[in-house]
Amino acid sequence: MKLLKTLAAASLLATPALAQDDDVTLQLQWVTQAQFAGYYVALENGYYEEEGLDVTIQPGGPDIAPPQVLAGGGADVMLNWMPSALAARERGVPVVNIAQPFKSSGLMLTCWADSGIESPEDFRGKTIGVWFFGNEYPFLSWMSQLGIPTDGGDDGVTVLRQAFNVDPLLQRQADCISTMTYNEYGQVLDAGVGEDELVTFLYEEQGVSTLEDGIYVLEENLEDPAFVDKMVRFVRASMRGWKWAEENPTDAAIIVLDNDATGAQTEAHQIRMMGEIAKLTAGSDGTLDPADYQRTVDTLLAGGSDPVITAEPEGAWTHAITDLALQ
C-alpha cells in the first residue's frame, strides 16, 4: 500500500530522547477491564513515561463510539474493532490502523442448547441478541453470507438490540446472545448455567472473524512528523505493556483493578478475563498481518445486498508506525 510520505521523514524523530512529556489521549472501546490491560500496565509500569509520554486513558461505554470521539478531537488515538473502523472510514471519518495487538477474535454467539440450535442454519426463526454501536457489523455480515434475513420471520432471525449484559439469555428473551470469550460467557457461567446447557459459535471457527481492538488514528495527523513520533513511542510502550501482561496475567489484572474508578470490577472476573485476553494477543507483536486484514475486508464485503462496506478500502492501515516502533 502507498504510505504517507511524511512517515519516512518521521523515522528521524523516532527516539524517545527527542521529546518529553508529550500528551496522548487514548479512547478505549469499552469500560476499564482486562481487555485493555496492556495500556494500563504500560501506564503503571512507567513504560509511557520512559518514552516521554503523558498518557490519559479514557474509558468507553455503551453510548460512546470511539470513531466519533476521535473525529471530534476528543482523543489522539482510539481502540476499535476493524469492522466499525472501516465502516466509519467509508462514511468519511478517515481512520487508519497503525497497530494490531489482538491477533484473534474473542467474539461468539452463546445459545441455549434446548433451543434446538446445532448449526448456524438453525438460527432461522430464532431471536438473537446483538450489540450495536459498531459491534453489530460482524454479525450482520455473517448473516448476509448465510443468506439469513435479519428482519424476523420464520426464515430469518429476529435481532434483539442487546444491552451490554447477559440478561436476555438468562431471562429467555433470546435464544442466543453475543458474548466475548473473555467476558460475558463467564458471566453466564457465573449465573449458574452449566456449559452442557449451552452451544457456542466462535466467529473465528466459523471463518467470519474480523480483527478486534486495533489502534487507530486520523489519517491527517499522520502528515505531522511530531505526531508520528508520538505514536511510534506510544505503540512501542503499549506493546511492552501487552507482553508483560501476557507473562504476568494475575498482576496485570490487579493493575486494571487499581485503575477502575467505578469499583465495578471484581478480582476473580478480571483474572479470568486476562487469562482469556492473553490467548487473543498471543502471536502479535503489534504489527498488522495483511492476511488478517484482507480476511476482515473480504468478510465485510461478502454481505450480499447489504454489505458492511461497499468497496475495498484504500489507505486504511500502515506498517510505518510499527516498523519504527518495533525495530
Side-chain angles (χ1 to χ4, degrees):
M1 61 181 295
K2 183 179 179 181
L3 299 178
L4 298 167
K5 56 185 178 182
T6 53
L7 292 176
S11 64
L12 299 176
L13 302 178
T15 59
L18 292 182
Q20 293 296 318
D21 301 320
D22 287 326
D23 293 334
V24 174
T25 299
L26 168 65
Q27 177 63 57
L28 302 184
Q29 168 128 335
W30 190 235
V31 299
T32 300
Q33 59 183 18
Q35 177 183 359
F36 312 112
Y39 309 101
Y40 286 110
V41 166
L43 186 66
E44 189 76 15
N45 286 2
Y47 301 155
Y48 290 136
E49 185 178 3
E50 289 177 25
E51 293 284 358
L53 299 175
D54 183 4
V55 175
T56 299
I57 301 177
Q58 296 182 163
D63 299 321
I64 295 175
Q68 294 177 11
V69 175
L70 196 67
D76 302 296
V77 57
M78 72 167 182
L79 306 180
N80 207 213
W81 286 5
M82 186 168 280
S84 171
L86 293 182
R89 185 175 177 84
E90 187 166 281
R91 292 194 304 267
V93 182
V95 297
V96 176
N97 179 298
I98 61 170
Q100 186 61 45
F102 277 51
K103 174 67 175 174
S104 305
S105 167
L107 181 62
M108 64 181 182
L109 291 183
T110 296
C111 311
W112 285 114
D114 62 13
S115 67
I117 295 175
E118 297 180 357
S119 74
E121 272 299 315
D122 298 325
F123 293 155
R124 297 180 188 275
K126 301 296 194 294
T127 298
I128 298 180
V130 178
W131 295 316
F132 279 74
F133 296 100
N135 302 295
E136 72 273 23
Y137 297 127
F139 173 80
L140 296 177
S141 179
W142 184 15
M143 293 303 102
S144 292
Q145 291 185 53
L146 292 174
I148 299 179
T150 55
D151 54 359
D154 293 339
D155 193 50
V157 298
T158 298
V159 174
L160 184 152
R161 199 178 184 96
Q162 182 183 335
F164 292 90
N165 57 51
V166 299
D167 293 347
L169 191 74
L170 299 180
Q171 297 171 4
R172 295 280 181 167
Q173 297 170 347
D175 301 289
C176 307
I177 60 170
S178 299
T179 61
M180 302 304 293
T181 56
Y182 51 81
N183 195 0
E184 291 79 11
Y185 183 69
Q187 293 176 22
V188 174
L189 300 181
D190 287 345
V193 179
E195 291 190 33
D196 60 346
E197 298 179 77
L198 302 169
V199 177
T200 59
F201 298 91
L202 279 162
Y203 281 59
E204 195 83 38
E205 294 179 353
Q206 296 298 317
V208 291
S209 64
T210 54
L211 287 170
E212 298 164 3
D213 291 71
I215 301 177
Y216 294 84
V217 300
L218 291 177
E219 186 170 354
E220 63 192 46
N221 290 335
L222 291 174
E223 298 174 5
D224 177 3
F227 180 84
V228 169
D229 174 50
K230 282 201 301 186
M231 289 301 100
V232 168
R233 289 180 279 140
F234 174 79
V235 168
R236 181 163 51 223
S238 298
M239 290 314 301
R240 281 184 68 191
W242 272 119
K243 294 310 146 184
W244 190 94
E246 287 177 18
E247 296 169 1
N248 304 275
T250 299
D251 291 339
I254 299 302
I255 288 175
V256 170
L257 285 169
D258 289 343
N259 283 274
D260 175 28
T262 69
Q265 306 294 359
T266 66
E267 182 173 327
H269 183 56
Q270 291 306 302
I271 290 174
R272 177 172 60 193
M273 183 184 292
M274 186 60 234
E276 292 297 321
I277 287 290
K279 299 175 184 177
L280 305 181
T281 58
S284 173
D285 65 358
T287 303
L288 173 68
D289 183 337
D292 293 340
Y293 167 82
Q294 195 59 52
R295 184 195 68 239
T296 296
V297 169
D298 292 344
T299 296
L300 299 180
L301 285 172
S305 61
D306 190 27
V308 174
I309 54 176
T310 60
E312 185 93 19
E314 294 184 8
W317 62 274
T318 178
H319 277 163
I321 302 297
T322 47
D323 283 349
L324 295 173
L326 306 174
Q327 63 186 359

